[in-house]
């Protein structure tokens, strides 16, 4: 009898150890998980506005102006790839209303330009070049249209939806459908040259557009706007998320409005998001490589140092970096931009080439059910689906990383298996000096990825990571110690 009890006790114990941790809070969809893996991508602005040297085209530029004689989608895609970018979102139509594809919805499109003798489709060229070189592809189609005579009327909303339909139907699976929040003002409007304002809480009917078109025709496309649905705007165009970044968010409608709609988000809360927010809606940090979104000859690209810093403040906070790329009037990226991207990409690659934790012995204060399936080896196997987990009631564990000899590092990466939600609220890192642990960093949220940069490099044989606050047990899939490359 006693033996039987022991047998069943052991059996239930080992079965329990097989059970994965319960998910916590709002969870990402499969499409959002794919987006998290993209990390750094680009946003391309190129229309007649480039040839006018403006930031916002008025909508009256002669299509004949659009004549990029040396246009080369592959040159742009390869420069982006060298920069470590894994996707490209093309502005297929900006506020000026000029469509880069031969659309049936408006005459104001690429077929009226000298580009490829009016036979060109730039969306197609970008799409094919991106896919050829392994980058994901997405589109931005501006709802505000300063060319359209119909802008402001219900008819225009149908035109806009037909434009999306074309973009969703002819360019393969998209990873993003990007929707900006610029909402009316003055423009050409078919020659009326006047100011038109719309009520952005009702005019575009986003709910129906996204439900009936985007989700149906492009189920893989992450819908981006200042209030999601899949990815939220970070609330600034500096490319920076808050140091504490929650991937969860509850878009708050402004005072007097009952629903949160694009262009109406409560921006001050966007960089940080909401702990225990209702939806998984991580931030995208968008920022142009130069000063403007469009190419201007007198501006310069950001330095590799600045770009690396932006990476730390976006991807390194569990968000993503969307870098604006601006082809010049030849139809290529300027050589300065190509060089800046290459230096940034090299810096990323060299910095993250050697994870010092990989050849270390990592001891956890707790492993779920003593089960090696949840062991610490999962932290350094470059596989996001495997993870170190703790018992449910073990919420503040620590990890000791023994590198067998003193090593110098200044970057620490942590990652959570976000399929099980965003769990960690605070953590700290120590190094062993003689007999004593010295704290070298204290941080908050982790999420899909956390990249900590120490202000001064640390040298130690043993490093300790302490989870200091979490409502549930751990599910961590990544741990890294690196030395930043110069
Ligand atoms: C904004 C636009 O007004 C800018 O021109 C640019 O396209 C930026 C990415 O989005 O809403
Ligand atoms: Ca792993």
């Amino acid at each position: 009898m006693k033996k039987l009890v022991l047998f069943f006790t052991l059996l239930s114990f080992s079965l329990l150890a097989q059970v994965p941790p319960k998910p916590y809070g709002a969870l990402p969809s499969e499409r959002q998980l794919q987006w998290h893996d993209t990390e750094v991508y680009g946003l391309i602005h190129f229309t007649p506005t480039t040839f006018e040297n403006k930031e916002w085209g008025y909508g009256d530029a002669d299509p004949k102006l659009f004549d990029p004689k040396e246009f080369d989608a592959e040159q742009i895609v390869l420069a982006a790839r060298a920069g470590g970018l894994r996707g490209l979102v093309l502005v297929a139509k900006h506020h000026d209303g000029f469509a880069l594809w031969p659309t049936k919805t408006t005459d104001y499109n690429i077929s009226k330009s000298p580009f490829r003798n009016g036979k060109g489709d730039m969306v197609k060229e970008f799409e094919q070049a991106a896919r050829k070189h392994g980058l994901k592809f997405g589109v931005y189609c501006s709802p505000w249209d300063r060319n359209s005579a119909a802008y402001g009327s219900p008819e225009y909303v149908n035109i806009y939806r037909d434009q999306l339909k074309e973009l969703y139907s002819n360019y393969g699976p998209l990873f993003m459908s990007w929707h900006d929040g610029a909402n009316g003002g003055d423009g050409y409007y078919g020659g009326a040259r006047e100011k038109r304002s719309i009520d952005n809480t009702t005019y575009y009917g986003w709910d129906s557009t996204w439900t009936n078109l985007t989700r149906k025709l492009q189920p893989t496309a992450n819908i981006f706007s200042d209030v999601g649905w899949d990815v939220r705007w970070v609330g600034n165009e500096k490319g920076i998320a808050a140091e504490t970044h929650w991937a969860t968010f509850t878009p708050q409608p402004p005072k007097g409005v009952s629903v949160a709609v694009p262009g109406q988000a409560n921006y001050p809360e966007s960089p940080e998001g909401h702990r225990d927010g209702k939806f998984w809606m991580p931030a995208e940090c968008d920022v142009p490589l130069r000063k403007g979104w469009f190419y201007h000859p007198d501006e310069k690209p950001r330095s590799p140092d600045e770009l690396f810093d932006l990476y730390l403040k976006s991807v390194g906070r569990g968000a993503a970096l969307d870098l604006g790329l601006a082809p010049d009037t030849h139809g290529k990226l300027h050589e300065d931009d190509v060089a800046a991207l290459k230096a940034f990409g090299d810096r990323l690659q060299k910095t993250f080439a050697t994870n010092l934790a990989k050849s270390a012995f990592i001891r956890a204060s707790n492993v779920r059910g003593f089960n090696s399936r949840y062991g610490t080896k999962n932290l350094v196997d470059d596989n996001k689906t495997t993870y170190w987990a703790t018992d449910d009631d073990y919420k503040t564990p620590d990890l000791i990383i023994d590198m067998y000899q003193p090593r110098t590092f200044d970057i620490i990466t942590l990652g959570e298996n976000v399929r099980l939600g965003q769990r960690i609220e605070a953590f700290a890192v120590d190094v062993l000096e003689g007999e004593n642990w010295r704290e070298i960093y204290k941080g908050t949220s982790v999420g899909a990825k956390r990249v900590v940069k120490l202000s001064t490099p640390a040298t130690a044989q043993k490093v300790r990571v302490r989870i200091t606050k979490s409502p549930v047990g751990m599910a961590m899939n990544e741990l890294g110690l690196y030395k930043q490359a110069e």
Side-chain angles (χ1 to χ4, degrees):
M1 187 62 190
K2 253 191 184 158
K3 265 190 181 159
L4 212 63
V5 170
L6 184 68
F7 173 75
F8 279 113
T9 314
L10 283 175
L11 184 74
S12 60
F13 191 74
S14 64
L15 281 179
L16 205 76
Q18 299 296 325
V19 178
K22 275 204 205 80
Y24 176 80
L27 301 177
S29 64
E30 199 51 48
R31 93 167 64 79
Q32 289 171 314
L33 289 167
Q34 298 289 326
W35 173 87
H36 275 292
D37 288 347
T38 315
E39 294 188 351
V40 189
Y41 47 93
L43 183 56
I44 300 173
H45 285 74
F46 189 40
T47 78
T49 307
T50 308
F51 295 78
E52 296 179 302
N53 196 16
K54 287 184 183 170
E55 264 298 287
W56 275 7
Y58 188 74
D60 63 346
D62 187 340
K64 300 252 159 351
L65 258 184
F66 192 68
D67 189 15
K69 291 204 169 62
E70 294 163 40
F71 176 71
D72 184 354
E74 280 195 66
Q75 187 258 3
I76 297 161
V77 168
L78 287 171
R81 197 179 69 166
L85 280 63
R86 297 187 183 142
L88 286 177
V89 177
L90 174 66
V91 179
K93 186 192 85 171
H94 198 244
H95 310 327
D96 66 332
F98 185 82
L100 291 185
W101 76 104
T103 175
K104 295 194 179 80
T105 61
T106 170
D107 277 344
Y108 199 52
N109 74 58
I110 199 154
S111 70
K112 298 286 185 293
S113 82
F115 177 69
R116 310 263 186 263
N117 296 317
K119 301 271 183 307
D121 181 345
M122 200 169 266
V123 180
K124 189 96 237 153
E125 290 196 33
F126 269 116
E127 186 238 337
Q128 289 183 340
R131 294 195 201 281
K132 178 173 169 190
H133 295 291
L135 274 74
K136 300 175 191 178
F137 186 67
V139 294
Y140 162 147
C141 188
S142 169
W144 182 26
D145 188 322
R146 303 175 93 186
N147 174 266
S148 176
Y151 186 78
S153 72
E155 184 200 342
Y156 171 76
V157 178
N158 290 326
I159 296 175
Y160 180 66
R161 286 180 177 152
D162 285 343
Q163 293 176 341
L164 290 179
K165 249 187 249 170
E166 291 178 355
L167 291 169
Y168 291 163
S169 308
N170 300 319
Y171 303 97
L174 305 173
F175 87 107
M176 289 197 92
S177 186
W178 213 98
H179 302 272
D180 68 280
N183 284 299
D186 61 340
Y188 176 69
Y189 304 126
R193 294 184 182 276
E194 60 189 10
K195 192 165 178 238
R196 292 189 184 171
S197 44
I198 47 103
D199 177 357
N200 65 3
T201 61
T202 54
Y203 180 58
Y204 296 112
W206 288 115
D207 201 74
S208 134
T209 301
W210 290 341
T211 307
N212 301 321
L213 286 180
T214 317
R215 286 294 191 240
K216 292 216 168 105
L217 297 176
Q218 283 290 343
T220 58
N222 283 277
I223 296 173
F224 167 94
S225 85
D226 42 14
V227 293
W229 291 346
D230 297 305
V231 177
R232 71 177 194 263
W233 183 44
V234 75
N236 63 66
E237 288 189 350
K238 294 189 189 131
I240 298 177
E243 187 155 0
T244 303
H245 167 261
W246 304 113
T248 50
F249 194 53
T250 312
Q252 301 290 346
K255 274 200 189 89
V257 179
S258 62
V259 283
V261 290
Q264 293 278 341
N266 191 358
Y267 301 124
E269 298 183 3
S270 302
E272 176 161 337
H274 301 123
R275 179 57 171 155
D276 300 321
K278 216 158 137 193
F279 307 101
W280 190 270
M281 206 182 272
E284 178 204 277
C285 307
D286 62 335
V287 61
L289 177 60
R290 292 171 167 244
K291 192 162 161 283
W293 292 102
F294 281 89
Y295 180 81
H296 307 290
D298 55 342
E299 292 173 5
K300 287 270 168 225
R302 290 169 207 280
S303 70
D305 279 342
E306 219 180 319
L307 292 171
F308 193 77
D309 189 54
L310 290 176
Y311 170 86
L312 294 172
K313 290 173 174 158
S314 55
V315 178
R317 292 174 175 177
L321 179 61
D322 187 2
L323 202 54
L325 304 180
D328 62 14
T329 52
H330 302 287
K332 290 181 172 175
L333 285 186
H334 188 279
E335 58 183 13
D336 291 348
D337 300 38
V338 174
L341 286 167
K342 170 93 170 74
F344 171 51
D346 286 351
R347 168 92 49 103
L348 286 176
Q349 213 196 349
K350 284 187 193 140
T351 297
F352 296 110
T354 325
N355 180 359
L356 299 171
K358 248 187 196 170
S359 46
F361 177 69
I362 308 176
R363 192 181 59 79
S365 59
N366 176 277
V367 171
R368 189 172 183 78
F370 298 107
N371 189 338
S372 65
R373 182 176 151 188
Y374 298 114
T376 59
K377 65 177 188 309
N378 295 328
L379 289 164
V380 289
D381 63 352
D382 297 322
N383 178 347
K384 290 204 178 165
T385 63
T386 59
Y387 56 101
W388 162 61
T390 59
D391 292 320
D392 290 341
D393 55 359
Y394 218 98
K395 300 172 187 172
T396 53
D398 56 45
L399 294 161
I400 294 176
I401 304 124
D402 182 352
M403 295 181 280
Y404 303 113
Q405 55 174 303
R407 303 298 294 260
T408 301
F409 61 94
D410 56 5
I411 287 185
I412 303 147
T413 63
L414 304 170
E416 293 190 77
N417 176 9
V418 292
R419 285 172 193 272
L420 298 175
Q422 188 167 8
R423 307 162 81 91
I424 299 171
E425 292 190 7
F427 64 94
V429 183
D430 316 312
V431 288
L432 190 62
E433 287 178 350
E435 307 268 278
N436 305 312
W437 290 104
R438 177 172 67 91
E439 185 176 278
I440 54 168
Y441 193 83
K442 232 164 123 162
T444 46
S445 58
V446 174
K449 188 163 197 155
R450 181 77 148 115
V451 188
V452 164
K453 174 79 202 290
L454 302 174
S455 46
T456 42
T459 303
Q461 176 179 332
K462 287 189 183 176
V463 181
R464 184 171 69 179
V465 174
R466 278 177 290 130
I467 305 304
T468 52
K469 192 173 178 217
S470 171
V472 282
M474 289 301 99
M476 276 180 64
N477 60 7
E478 186 186 330
L479 172 72
L481 297 174
Y482 304 90
K483 176 71 192 69
Q484 190 191 308
E486 289 321 311

